[in-house]
Structure formats: structure tokens, C-alpha cells
Amino acid sequence: MEINVLKRIFFDEHRHWDKFVTKHRDKIRPNVLKEIEKFRQCGDPKNGFKLFVCEGCHDLRLVPYRCKGRFCTTCSCGETEEWARLLEQDVFQVNHRHVVFTVDEGLREVFLMHRDKLLKEFMDEAARVVKEYFEKRHKITPGVIAGLHTFGARINFNPHVHMLVTMGGMKQNGEWKTYDFIPFEMLRKQWQTVVLKLIRRKLNDQEKRQVQQRLQSAYSENGEGFYVYAPKQKGNVKQQLGYIGRYIRRPAIAVSRIEEYDGKTVTFRYRDKTDGKEKTEAISVEEFIARLIRHIPDENFKTIRYYGVYSRRIKALCKKLVSLWQKEARKWIVKAKQMLKRRTWSERIREQTGKPPCCPKCESYYEYKGEVCLDEGVLKVKYARCAQSKACLERMINDVTGIKEAKNNKEKEEARQGNTKHRERDVHLSAV
């Protein structure tokens, strides 16, 4: 299935998204409309582009700007890989656990209806449960990176929190203590109590009456508490961190899971957690869009949050304290890196292939020559390395926007009208 299948589903000749908006506009959150429009415009050179020229055969490559949206799978793929790479270098190089906190199936609808009130504190409470266990039991502060997933395997609304938790933590004097045990079965009942109290605390009286039956069922039908899972991680620490990081930040559905789209229905693959088997499901395009847009977060909502020694406010101080303690104790338990830098697109290609981006025709390298961006709705040259590059970029602007073609058509029309007038004058003179 081609990579732009999501764009086809939303914006092809059937105009599914436009019809969906017309039918359900009152129910669609404003940020969803904004993100889908960014997705529609993603990769369109009319919004700006960069120019690269092959050093050997002078082949021109126009690279359009990307939307960097929270819904676009094309943009999120590269961003996820880069975030996971930075994560595995930035955190303490110690064993971590991948901890998952879920809720009862009957409460999913409650979180969907009141997402603005519940989802942020849902993440905070999950991290607090883990932090308090370490602080009370071992007198240490762990590092916790929490990621919110609102989707299940079938793209249904299923809020749960994935956490990357250090197996150990820092004492007040900067000493690092290592442990390798989380009593997740014991934490299940505690987590159940926390979630039910959270819902009762955040909803008003009328809203609580509407969900009271669901709360009662969630309590009585889960005698051991809500599901909490924290398997031991095996293998290289950096590989663990990279895998878990990519998993935490992954999109609701990968394009590779969409098997077929025929203009009316969408067929996708998923793994059924009940029996572990891979299955397929075919649903209407309208249902597919409805399921998918639920997982677009509200504007400025952070789906990744940091707690404990990974808290943004104290992370640098914690690294410094641990490093000082290790020098005094001469125990090199933790590797704490400081300087990190995001890679450019060219650097990522070089690392993956061993060489910079190459021309497919002559295998020479591409050289950056300049770029064009929107200025008050009009494409203008932002930067050009030389006069020749600027002229090339200006020609490209004409090609992309169709200005030159429209101008030529206008000139042709004026010339045609001029010729008609000349002929009419000649006819008039001959009649005389």
C-alpha cells in the first residue's frame, strides 16, 4: 500500500473528510480541524520548499516543507525516531522498566467525554503511584517518563499510560541506589482507587450521577484492581531505551497496517490481545475517520511528561549531583550525558547509509542552494546562495504557483483579441 494512503482516504476524489465535516461539524474539536488542514497541506510546495542541486549532473531537487503536525504520519515517523535517539542518550544509562497503567473498559467512555478534565491528571496520578512507592519504600527518587496513549489496537478509544521508569533512584546526597523490583500486582488495587477518586474529584455532581453506574461496575468487577504491567527488560540498555521510546511516541495507526482502501471501506490489521493472533477489520471510511481523529490531542496538550529525576526543572541538577557522588565514591554506576543535538535530515541519511544524500543518476552529492517560504500568503525567495540560484528559485515559484502560465495565457488572449480587432478593421476598410 502506497505511503500516502491516509491522504487518499481523507482527500481523494470522494472528498470523505469534507463530507464528514459537513455532517459532524458541531461535534468536531477546533484543534482537529486545524491539524487535519495541516495534514492536507503537508508536502505541498505552494507552502514553501528548499532547492538542492546535484554537484555532478546538476539535477534539481525540490524538497517541500513539512507540516510537523500531530496527526501527520509522514512527519511523526521521523520525529519519533529522532526523539527516541535523543532519549536513549539523555536518560541515565541504567536499567529501566516499561510500566503500563490501564483502566476498566467501562470507564473509557468517561475519559472520552471528559478528556479536557481527566487526561492530564490521569498521567500525573500514574507517575505519582510509582514515585511514592520508591520514595516510601526505598527513600529514593526515581526517573519517570510517561507517555499517554488514547488508542487501542483497533483504533478504539482506550486511554492508558506507558512509562519508562528507572530501576533505582537518587538519594538526597546524590547517591544512586539500584533496585530491580516493582510490585505491580500490589499497585493494581492502589491504581484502581486513584483512578476512581480522580473521576469523582474532577466531575461535577450532575456528571457524577451520569457515570455513577460505570464507576460502581469498575470497582465491583475488578477485585484485583486495574491492570498494571511491568515486565523485566532484557538486553542492551540503549536498545531497550530506543525501543520503548519509539513505542511510547508511536502514532495511533501505522500506514503499513492499512491493507486496503476501495473508496468506501478501509481494511486494516491489528493484533488481538485476547488470543495474540493477528486479525483484520473492515469498516466504513466515515467510521475509520471518526475513530482516528479522536486520538488527536487538544492544542498544547503534552502527551509526553517527565517526573522525578527526569523532571525538566531538576534534571540537570540531578545529573550533576550523581556525577559528583560517583567521583567521590569511585562507583561508575550511571552515565549522565549533558550535550545533545538534534540531527539534520542530511545527518540522519548519512548515519543510516554511511554517506550524504546522493543523486540517483550519477551518485554525486546534493548541495543546498536556497529556499522559498510564504510571506503574507505569497511565495518569496528567503535565501539564495548566488544570483543563479535566485533566478532558478524564482522560476520554480512561477512553476509551482502557475503565475507564469497564467501570465502567458493572458498575453495570448490579449494578442488574439488584438488580431481580431485588426481583422475587423481590415474588413471595414475593404468594404469602403
Side-chain angles (χ1 to χ4, degrees):
M1 186 63 66
E2 58 268 36
I3 196 166
N4 64 344
V5 63
L6 267 182
K7 276 200 171 183
R8 287 183 53 219
I9 293 170
F10 275 73
F11 311 120
D12 67 3
E13 66 274 11
H14 300 288
R15 299 176 57 248
H16 291 298
W17 172 245
D18 295 329
K19 293 176 182 176
F20 187 89
V21 172
T22 302
K23 185 176 180 180
H24 303 286
R25 180 176 289 275
D26 294 340
K27 299 178 183 178
I28 303 175
R29 289 172 290 137
N31 194 51
V32 171
L33 296 171
K34 177 182 174 182
E35 290 294 329
I36 299 297
E37 190 58 32
K38 285 167 64 177
F39 174 56
R40 189 203 293 262
Q41 302 296 331
C42 183
D44 187 344
K46 291 181 180 179
N47 296 314
F49 55 86
K50 295 182 180 181
L51 173 64
F52 293 85
V53 179
C54 173
E55 295 175 339
C57 64
H58 305 294
D59 177 57
L60 302 180
R61 172 168 289 191
L62 183 153
V63 180
Y65 288 161
R66 289 292 174 180
C67 68
K68 299 293 190 292
R70 307 181 80 176
F71 178 76
C72 180
T73 52
T74 303
C75 294
S76 65
C77 181
E79 286 294 309
T80 298
E81 286 290 332
E82 186 64 8
W83 182 82
R85 184 190 73 86
L86 291 173
L87 175 75
E88 70 184 43
Q89 296 184 46
D90 192 32
V91 299
F92 291 127
Q93 301 299 299
V94 297
N95 283 326
H96 288 67
R97 284 280 189 96
H98 181 192
V99 185
V100 185
F101 282 79
T102 66
V103 297
D104 179 76
E105 186 174 346
L107 297 181
R108 295 173 185 173
E109 191 71 21
V110 178
F111 279 88
L112 177 60
M113 291 187 297
H114 305 285
R115 62 188 302 156
D116 57 328
K117 295 181 179 181
L118 297 175
L119 289 181
K120 194 270 181 185
E121 289 207 31
F122 180 62
M123 298 176 69
D124 293 343
E125 291 294 333
R128 185 177 63 81
V129 168
V130 172
K131 274 185 63 195
E132 286 188 352
Y133 164 74
F134 277 95
E135 289 168 353
K136 291 179 179 178
R137 183 70 179 269
H138 302 297
K139 311 299 181 187
I140 57 175
T141 301
V144 179
I145 300 174
L148 176 69
H149 283 188
T150 57
F151 48 86
R154 297 173 57 214
I155 333 177
N156 55 311
F157 196 83
N158 176 16
H160 53 285
V161 180
H162 290 267
M163 285 190 288
L164 190 64
V165 182
T166 56
M167 285 295 91
M170 191 182 75
K171 298 174 71 173
Q172 287 187 349
N173 64 352
E175 180 181 352
W176 185 269
K177 286 290 185 181
T178 301
Y179 293 95
D180 195 27
F181 176 69
I182 293 182
F184 56 91
E185 292 185 357
M186 181 194 79
L187 296 178
R188 291 182 60 171
K189 197 67 182 176
Q190 184 180 348
W191 173 236
Q192 179 188 43
T193 304
V194 165
V195 171
L196 296 177
K197 283 185 175 180
L198 168 65
I199 294 173
R200 289 193 173 97
R201 184 172 73 250
K202 300 302 290 186
L203 302 189
N204 60 39
D205 293 337
Q206 183 180 352
E207 292 167 341
K208 279 189 279 190
R209 284 194 293 271
Q210 292 173 351
V211 302
Q212 181 57 38
Q213 185 60 45
R214 292 176 182 268
L215 298 178
Q216 188 60 42
S217 298
Y219 178 77
S220 58
E221 294 175 7
N222 295 275
E224 296 181 356
F226 294 159
Y227 186 67
V228 177
Y229 187 50
K232 284 190 176 182
Q233 305 298 317
K234 298 179 181 179
N236 182 273
V237 172
K238 289 192 72 173
Q239 291 177 350
Q240 294 173 20
L241 296 171
Y243 167 75
I244 297 171
R246 286 188 293 274
Y247 190 89
I248 286 176
R249 199 179 164 115
R250 70 189 180 97
I253 186 169
V255 172
S256 59
R257 285 176 54 199
I258 301 175
E259 295 206 325
E260 187 179 358
Y261 163 63
D262 60 8
K264 294 182 179 179
T265 60
V266 179
T267 304
F268 62 92
R269 286 194 324 275
Y270 71 95
R271 184 169 295 279
D272 192 335
K273 297 292 180 66
T274 57
D275 56 16
K277 294 181 180 179
E278 195 169 83
K279 300 178 180 180
T280 60
E281 182 174 0
I283 56 177
S284 68
V285 174
E286 183 178 355
E287 174 64 19
F288 179 80
I289 292 175
R291 289 192 194 182
L292 206 53
I293 64 174
R294 288 175 176 177
H295 309 299
I296 298 176
D298 291 337
E299 192 166 14
N300 299 323
F301 182 88
K302 294 179 175 61
T303 56
I304 306 290
R305 297 176 187 271
Y306 302 82
Y307 306 88
V309 296
Y310 289 153
S311 172
R312 295 188 185 277
R313 292 181 293 104
I314 63 169
K315 181 170 65 176
L317 176 61
C318 291
K319 285 186 175 183
K320 184 177 180 180
L321 289 173
V322 170
S323 298
L324 290 172
W325 171 78
Q326 288 184 145
K327 285 181 181 179
E328 293 177 2
R330 296 187 179 182
K331 292 182 179 180
W332 306 105
I333 301 170
V334 177
K335 295 178 183 178
K337 296 188 178 182
Q338 295 289 344
M339 298 300 294
L340 295 173
K341 179 177 174 290
R342 291 181 67 86
R343 297 175 301 180
T344 63
W345 169 75
S346 180
E347 289 170 342
R348 292 202 298 268
I349 297 296
R350 187 191 294 270
E351 188 166 310
Q352 292 168 5
T353 63
K355 55 185 180 180
C358 295
C359 173
K361 298 176 182 177
C362 67
E363 296 189 352
S364 297
Y365 298 149
Y366 279 99
E367 185 179 5
Y368 170 73
K369 291 294 186 180
E371 59 188 284
V372 168
C373 65
L374 283 174
D375 183 6
E376 296 182 354
V378 179
L379 282 179
K380 294 183 180 179
V381 177
K382 178 182 178 182
Y383 169 76
R385 296 192 68 172
C386 60
Q388 189 176 1
S389 299
K390 185 175 182 180
C392 182
L393 287 166
E394 287 173 344
R395 288 197 302 271
M396 285 185 160
I397 291 175
N398 291 334
D399 293 339
V400 166
T401 58
I403 293 173
K404 187 176 181 180
E405 183 180 351
K407 187 176 180 181
N408 290 340
N409 290 339
K410 186 177 180 180
E411 289 174 353
K412 289 178 182 178
E413 180 64 22
E414 289 175 351
R416 187 184 65 79
Q417 290 176 358
N419 291 335
T420 302
K421 289 178 180 178
H422 284 304
R423 285 197 300 271
E424 289 175 349
R425 187 183 66 178
D426 293 342
V427 170
H428 178 70
L429 291 173
S430 63
V432 172

